[in-house]
Amino acid sequence: MDSQPVVKKNIITYEGVQKLEAELEELKTVKRKEVAKKIQEAREQGDLSENAEYDAAKAEQAEYEARIGEIEAILKHAEVVTDDEGDGNKVRIGCKVKIMDMEFKDEMEYRIVGSTEANSLKGKISNESPVGKALLGHKKGDTVKVETKAGVLKYKVLEISKTGE
């Protein structure tokens, strides 16, 4: 009996899908043409065995093609979450949540996103991260405990909003 491999769904916001589709379009229409032109120009220089421009262009082409494949795979298995899902009273993927670190009394604001969109420098944390996972399903006023390697952290949910608000 053949068993099908389990394919993990990529949870992603509508905004994330739009960004990936725009990047994919750019790679397929602009970047492919640019790199093909570079390869052609390098070929016209003659001997390819010692042609650094040719090698660099081929490497660049391989990077673009790998990224195209990666984006297509993400989109193929995407499960899109939208801002209008849920009642706005509970933390869920796609919402913004303001929390307070109970130990240091620091306020932080995060957007809960799927792992493909996570970027802590932009305040986007994954639903699979320890903090993101712990916050899911909680309401304003709840105190949430997060198990980490450094110990148990406590956060209070101060505010939950849809990203469009």
Side-chain angles (χ1 to χ4, degrees), residues 104-116:
F104 298 104
K105 303 299 182 202
D106 285 338
E107 282 188 22
M108 298 164 277
E109 187 171 271
Y110 295 112
R111 180 165 181 209
I112 310 294
V113 296
S115 60
T116 55

Side-chain angles (χ1 to χ4, degrees), residues 23 40 45 48 68 80 90 120 130 146 151:
E23 181 183 352
Q40 182 61 37
Q45 293 174 11
L48 298 180
I68 287 169
V80 181
K90 288 185 180 178
S120 59
V146 182

Side-chain angles (χ1 to χ4, degrees), residues 10 88 106-107 129 143:
N10 296 308
D106 285 338
E107 282 188 22
S129 70
T143 299

